[in-house]
């Protein structure tokens, strides 16, 4: 949608619509410590698995402790980030709600316009049919059809009806 944003969000470029990659990069910039904690956890697991293969028990225990610390660090970053960015997320939810409301309103308006257009077309067609039935459109109508039938019946009466037509065939 290219229209202007609601006034409560003016000047805040974070609230424009964004695709998945933009959202991922924005979230990465907002909370860079969470991916760091995930990388540290993976590094500790990789070190622990290597030390298990070598049979080095002291390094294995140290790496498992490092994994626990890295996971704790990641969890702490998630909780702290959720408190820190709670207000921004609330604003985003409000913005998304406003956008959804606008889309629904626009859809409803388009539907009403479509119904009004169909109603106008139907009324025009009905008016054309009524004018044709009355013979007001210049193309003839029920009145013209009656006059054609009357002329045809008049010819039959002048010829003598059905018997006159049979006599005209040459059977006497």
């Amino acid at each position: 949608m290219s229209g202007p944003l609601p006034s409560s969000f003016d000047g805040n470029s974070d609230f424009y619509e964004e695709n998945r990659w933009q959202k991922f990069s924005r979230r990465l910039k907002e909370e860079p410590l969470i991916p760091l904690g995930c990388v540290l956890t993976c590094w500790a697991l990789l070190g622990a698995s290597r030390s298990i293969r070598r049979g080095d028990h002291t390094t294995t225990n140290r790496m498992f402790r490092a994994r626990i610390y890295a996971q704790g660090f990641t969890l702490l970053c998630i909780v702290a980030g959720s408190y820190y960015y709670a207000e921004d997320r609330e604003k985003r939810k409000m913005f998304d709600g406003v956008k959804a409301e606008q889309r629904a309103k626009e859809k409803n308006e388009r539907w009403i316009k479509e119904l009004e257009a169909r109603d106008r077309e139907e009324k025009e067609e009905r008016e054309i049919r009524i004018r044709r039935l009355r013979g007001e459109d210049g193309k003839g109508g029920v009145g013209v059809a009656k006059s054609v039938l009357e002329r045809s019946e008049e010819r039959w009466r002048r010829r003598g009806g059905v018997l006159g037509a049979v006599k005209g065939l040459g059977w006497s």
Side-chain angles (χ1 to χ4, degrees):
M1 182 172 190
S2 62
L5 295 172
S7 62
S8 62
F9 298 106
D10 284 347
N12 193 346
S13 63
D14 289 339
F15 288 105
Y16 286 103
E17 288 186 20
E18 56 191 5
N19 61 26
R20 290 180 189 207
W21 177 250
Q22 291 170 336
K23 182 177 180 178
F24 176 75
S25 62
R26 178 181 55 82
R27 297 293 298 266
L28 189 63
K29 289 174 188 174
E30 284 178 357
E31 302 181 55
L33 296 178
I34 293 174
L36 177 66
C38 293
V39 167
L40 290 174
T41 303
C42 291
W43 173 76
L45 281 173
L46 182 65
S49 68
R50 285 184 179 166
S51 65
I52 288 173
R53 273 190 246 137
R54 281 182 290 174
D56 187 4
H57 297 291
T58 56
T59 307
T60 302
N61 285 332
R62 220 174 341 136
M63 285 297 170
F64 279 132
R65 283 188 209 118
R67 177 191 60 88
I68 291 171
Y69 295 142
Q71 284 178 328
F73 173 75
T74 305
L75 188 62
L76 182 68
C77 290
I78 289 172
V79 171
S82 68
Y83 281 124
Y84 185 75
Y85 290 108
E87 185 178 328
D88 290 342
R89 288 192 180 103
E90 210 43 55
K91 286 181 183 177
R92 177 160 294 284
K93 284 181 185 177
M94 276 184 14
F95 174 74
D96 290 342
V98 168
K99 291 296 269 185
E101 231 175 80
Q102 285 177 345
R103 284 189 200 116
K105 188 175 181 180
E106 288 173 1
K107 184 179 178 182
N108 191 20
E109 288 173 0
R110 285 192 310 264
W111 178 244
I112 288 173
K113 285 181 183 178
E114 176 70 23
L115 289 177
E116 288 173 350
R118 288 181 184 181
D119 189 43
R120 257 182 295 176
E121 289 174 1
E122 189 176 316
K123 285 179 181 177
E124 289 171 1
E125 289 177 7
R126 188 179 303 133
E127 190 65 34
I128 290 170
R129 275 189 253 125
I130 289 172
R131 279 186 282 163
R132 282 186 183 162
L133 286 173
R134 292 181 183 160
E136 296 172 356
D137 63 350
K139 296 181 180 177
V142 175
V144 175
K146 285 182 181 176
S147 64
V148 170
L149 285 173
E150 289 171 356
R151 279 188 251 150
S152 171
E153 287 175 1
E154 206 174 296
R155 277 190 227 136
W156 275 102
R157 274 188 240 127
R158 275 187 275 148
R159 292 184 185 165
V162 176
L163 289 176
V166 172
K167 286 181 187 176
L169 290 174
W171 295 356
S172 21

